């Protein structure tokens, strides 16, 4: 994140050189946890996406309509669209977060879904919330 706490990117298993650049002065690396708060405006945009094809294939509505299933990650296929340093092209092509090149779908449906997400959510930004004195050990 930048000095204002705006999230620049969400990294997935970065190589050690990238990870070393993310270390803080205390030698810690920030991790993504499961807790996310969405403003009402973001929530409204997100809910509006569930009925658009091909994103509806993530819900029972799309499946009941005969769509092929589409697996979307909340963190890497949705939240990453609001990161400061992620470009539209990188997001749609799946070259950020858990990249589509790492065993994930690079289908036209996924690209279309990511474009819809970008258009709806890129106007928002993600702010980090650091829980001080909490550590995660592997």
């Amino acid at each position: 994140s930048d000095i204002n706490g705006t999230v620049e990117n969400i990294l997935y298993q970065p190589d050690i050189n990238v990870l070393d650049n993310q270390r803080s002065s205390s030698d810690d690396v920030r991790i993504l946890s499961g807790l996310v708060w969405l403003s009402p405006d973001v929530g409204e945009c997100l809910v509006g996406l569930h009925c658009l094809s091909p994103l509806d294939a993530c819900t029972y509505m799309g499946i009941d309509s005969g769509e092929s299933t589409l697996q979307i990650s909340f963190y890497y296929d949705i939240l990453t669209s609001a990161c400061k340093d992620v470009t539209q092209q990188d997001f749609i092509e799946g070259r950020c977060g858990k990249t589509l090149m790492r065993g994930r779908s690079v289908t036209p449906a996924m690209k279309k879904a990511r474009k819809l997400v970008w258009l709806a959510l890129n106007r928002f930004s993600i702010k980090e919330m650091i829980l001080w004195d909490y550590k995660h050990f592997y």
Side-chain angles (χ1 to χ4, degrees), residues 9 15 20 24-25 27 31 43 86 94 115 118 135:
N9 203 341
D15 71 37
D20 282 340
S24 67
S25 58
D27 207 30
I31 64 168
V86 174
K115 184 173 184 177
W118 178 271
K135 304 277 185 198

Side-chain angles (χ1 to χ4, degrees), residues 25-42:
S25 58
S26 63
D27 207 30
D28 292 333
V29 176
R30 294 182 179 138
I31 64 168
L32 182 67
S33 71
L35 184 62
V36 176
W37 179 83
L38 302 174
S39 72
D41 288 342
V42 173

Side-chain angles (χ1 to χ4, degrees), residues 58-114:
C58 300
T59 70
Y60 70 91
M61 291 172 46
I63 303 304
D64 288 351
S65 299
E67 294 254 9
S68 297
T69 59
L70 186 65
Q71 294 182 354
I72 298 284
S73 164
F74 181 63
Y75 294 100
Y76 303 114
D77 297 318
I78 294 177
L79 292 183
T80 307
S81 69
C83 291
K84 179 181 172 185
D85 288 349
V86 174
T87 67
Q88 180 178 10
Q89 192 66 30
D90 282 348
F91 181 75
I92 292 171
E93 296 293 325
R95 293 189 300 257
C96 55
K98 184 177 182 180
T99 65
L100 297 181
M101 307 334 165
R102 295 182 75 173
R104 300 190 63 229
S105 174
V106 192
T107 64
M110 179 61 92
K111 287 183 179 182
K112 183 178 178 186
R114 289 173 74 94

Side-chain angles (χ1 to χ4, degrees), residues 11-25:
L11 304 175
Y12 179 79
Q13 296 178 336
D15 71 37
I16 194 68
N17 296 326
V18 172
L19 197 56
D20 282 340
N21 289 332
Q22 302 299 316
R23 292 187 189 282
S24 67
S25 58

